[in-house]
Amino acid sequence: MTATHTQPHEQRARRAGRRRPRGGALRDAVALVLLPLPLLAAVVPAAFAGGGTRRWFGRGEGQRADAQAAKDAAAAAFYELDTAQRDLRISIETITAVDRTPAARRAAEEYESFGRRIDEVSQGYITAVDAHDLDRDDLDAGAASRARADLHRAKEELERVKADLDRFTQGLGPLLQSAETQLARLAPAVERARQALLAASNALDAVRARDFTADDLAARLAALSPELTKLNQGAGQHGVQETIRRADEVLREAEAVRAKAERLPQQAAEIDKRLVSLRTRAQAITTRAGKVDPVLSELRRRYSAACWQDLQHVPDQAANAVAQAETKVREAQRARDEQRWADATSLLATVRALLNTTDEAVSAAGDRLRRLDEVSFDREKEVERTRFALRDAQRLAMAGRSTPDPRHARPLDDAVARLERAVAGLEGRHPDWWHFLTETESVRRTAARVVQEIRDERGGGAG
């Protein structure tokens, strides 16, 4: 029973099971044996002469037996209720240790209410037991009948409360299952967090033994020390849910530190490899950039200014970009030597972007000359390629229709007109071949866009 409202189980048991000693009759018989023989001869006849003599058989003894049976049944009901309450208290303590929801609070309050009811019926049972001494020699049938009735009534009250308590306990099933699940997670979660911290510490020690400072990782690991202290203080102080949450966070952070520590040697090797590669690439681009001036000279000699004027600054731009890249490479090397891994990685990404842009610009000059030579030698190949794309788009636009959808026909008609103008613009002494190439590319992109729109629309309608 609850310590707040009811007497301890042992005290109840002593009071409920109290019996009057049966040793009186035995002591009387022993005294008779010890009497002198003449006195014993005088006493024995009187003992069987009737009068105040106890009747060992008959209806009175039947009533006593019924009362005793009622008392035993009430005691069994009492102990069953007491056991059920003890089990329920454990369940309630499990729920309230984990769950802070209104449902859990209501369950705890209802349990307290049950405690008061159990106190009342238990006190009624103990009062009934104390009120009737079934071992009295002079217990008559009326007293035995009253005892049986009182004890039977006490048993029924105990059983009624026990039934209500059982129904309440069954209703706690979901709350209890959730609480037990969280409690089952508690110890493993805390242990995993501790093991993760240990693994992170060992990994950090290992890389430091290889001359890696890893100061940032050491700082992150040190920041977890207060969290470990709270984990060690336990759920009793911080709550089960909060402790599990903290353990999960410590686990994630410790595993991240361990992973970074274990990867440090590989990361250093990758940065060293990229430093060498980017230095080599910068030198190669410098060499290629030196060949842009002859290409520009050829473009100026053979084609109009519109075909090459956007490329005339490529040599200077390439030289400046390569110089910037080489400066960033030196900065990245310094960051690597100081084991500032994030800075080194960022600087190398900048170098790569600079070299990519410069490489494209340097390549553009040679690619421009090649394409201009091809189209000036055979323009019909480019024209036919573009017209094929337009006809393909037009056929698709007319498929299954008597007239094309204006949304598709209009851009295709405009594209046809643009192609005709581009071809006509090639007439003259110095045609703008570069404009012709960019215009035909634009026309093909328009045709491809219309084709994709038609396919998307028809595909959606079919679905």
Side-chain angles (χ1 to χ4, degrees):
M1 304 300 172
T2 58
T4 304
H5 300 100
T6 61
Q7 302 176 26
H9 175 80
E10 292 79 3
Q11 184 177 355
R12 285 181 179 170
R14 286 197 299 271
R15 298 189 60 185
R18 187 168 57 194
R19 297 287 191 274
R20 181 175 179 178
R22 296 178 177 271
L26 179 59
R27 284 195 299 272
D28 292 343
V30 172
L32 289 174
V33 170
L34 295 178
L35 286 174
L37 188 58
L39 183 57
L40 179 61
V43 172
V44 171
F48 295 95
T53 303
R54 176 175 175 178
R55 296 173 57 199
W56 293 98
F57 303 101
R59 185 171 180 276
E61 286 307 311
Q63 293 288 353
R64 185 196 299 271
D66 291 343
Q68 185 61 51
K71 182 177 181 181
D72 292 341
F78 172 82
Y79 284 116
E80 287 178 3
L81 178 59
D82 186 66
T83 301
Q85 189 188 20
R86 287 172 181 268
D87 293 342
L88 178 59
R89 182 178 69 243
I90 295 173
S91 298
I92 291 293
E93 288 173 352
T94 300
I95 292 170
T96 55
V98 175
D99 199 338
R100 298 291 188 271
T101 63
R105 288 195 296 271
R106 286 194 300 270
E109 292 169 359
E110 195 165 349
Y111 169 74
E112 292 297 324
S113 175
F114 267 110
R116 291 187 289 272
R117 288 183 60 190
I118 292 170
D119 285 346
E120 293 175 1
V121 296
S122 296
Q123 187 57 48
Y125 160 72
I126 293 171
T127 300
V129 170
D130 289 345
H132 303 287
D133 185 358
L134 302 182
D135 293 328
R136 288 196 344 255
D137 292 340
D138 59 349
L139 181 70
D140 57 27
S145 179
R146 287 190 298 275
R148 185 194 62 78
D150 290 346
L151 291 167
H152 181 72
R153 188 163 44 251
K155 178 185 75 75
E156 289 182 337
E157 290 296 323
L158 291 167
E159 290 176 342
R160 184 177 299 109
V161 175
K162 169 68 164 49
D164 292 343
L165 193 68
D166 289 343
R167 284 190 291 273
F168 173 65
T169 301
Q170 291 175 358
L172 293 178
L175 287 175
L176 182 60
Q177 183 177 3
S178 175
E180 288 175 341
T181 299
Q182 293 193 55
L183 284 175
R185 289 180 53 205
L186 177 62
V190 172
E191 182 60 24
R192 284 194 299 270
R194 288 172 177 159
Q195 292 300 319
L197 283 171
L198 178 61
S201 178
N202 291 338
L204 188 58
D205 291 341
V207 296
R208 281 182 160 179
R210 298 176 60 178
D211 295 329
F212 289 96
T213 57
D215 291 338
D216 57 332
L217 298 181
R220 288 174 62 179
L221 197 59
L224 294 177
S225 180
E227 298 302 305
L228 177 61
T229 299
K230 292 177 181 178
L231 286 179
N232 290 333
Q233 288 170 344
Q237 183 169 344
H238 299 287
V240 173
Q241 291 180 335
E242 177 63 18
T243 301
I244 292 176
R245 183 198 62 77
R246 179 173 288 110
D248 290 343
E249 288 183 356
V250 169
L251 174 66
R252 285 192 297 271
E253 180 65 8
E255 287 184 340
V257 170
R258 177 192 56 77
K260 284 184 174 293
E262 291 177 347
R263 193 177 178 277
L264 269 181
Q266 179 184 353
Q267 184 179 18
E270 290 173 354
I271 288 176
D272 291 340
K273 183 178 179 180
R274 291 178 65 189
L275 282 166
V276 173
S277 174
L278 290 174
R279 285 195 190 100
T280 303
R281 188 179 178 195
Q283 293 170 359
I285 290 176
T286 300
T287 301
R288 291 178 54 218
K291 300 178 181 180
V292 173
D293 281 330
V295 172
L296 287 175
S297 297
E298 188 70 12
L299 286 169
R300 293 188 190 103
R301 186 179 65 83
R302 296 172 52 191
Y303 297 101
S304 63
C307 294
W308 50 261
Q309 61 185 356
D310 59 316
L311 300 176
Q312 61 184 346
H313 299 300
V314 167
D316 293 338
Q317 292 172 348
N320 291 334
V322 170
Q324 291 181 43
E326 290 174 339
T327 299
K328 294 297 182 183
V329 167
R330 289 191 293 271
E331 292 177 3
Q333 181 67 64
R334 186 162 52 251
R336 185 261 177 265
D337 293 340
E338 296 171 358
Q339 298 191 23
R340 293 183 286 111
W341 310 111
D343 291 343
T345 301
S346 176
L347 286 165
L348 290 176
T350 301
V351 171
R352 183 173 182 175
L354 281 168
L355 294 180
N356 284 345
T357 302
T358 307
D359 196 7
E360 291 174 0
V362 170
S363 299
D367 182 65
R368 179 78 57 87
L369 179 59
R370 178 186 58 78
R371 293 182 64 192
L372 290 174
D373 285 347
E374 288 177 355
V375 73
S376 62
F377 178 76
D378 183 9
R379 74 179 72 178
E380 288 305 318
K381 183 177 180 180
E382 181 72 11
V383 172
E384 186 58 30
R385 177 186 175 194
T386 306
R387 284 176 175 163
F388 177 82
L390 286 170
R391 285 194 297 269
D392 186 60
Q394 289 169 338
R395 282 195 299 269
L396 185 63
M398 288 297 297
R401 303 177 63 96
S402 57
T403 57
D405 189 322
R407 294 176 300 161
H408 306 145
R410 187 177 299 110
L412 290 178
D413 290 344
D414 292 343
V416 170
R418 288 174 61 190
L419 177 60
E420 296 302 327
R421 287 194 299 271
V423 172
L426 296 178
E427 302 299 330
R429 185 175 180 182
H430 297 291
D432 188 349
W433 294 104
W434 184 239
H435 173 74
F436 173 72
L437 284 174
T438 56
E439 192 69 357
T440 54
E441 285 182 356
S442 177
V443 168
R444 289 195 296 272
R445 284 196 298 271
T446 298
R449 187 182 69 250
V450 171
V451 167
Q452 188 61 47
E453 289 175 356
I454 294 173
R455 288 175 176 170
D456 290 343
E457 291 173 3
R458 293 180 180 177

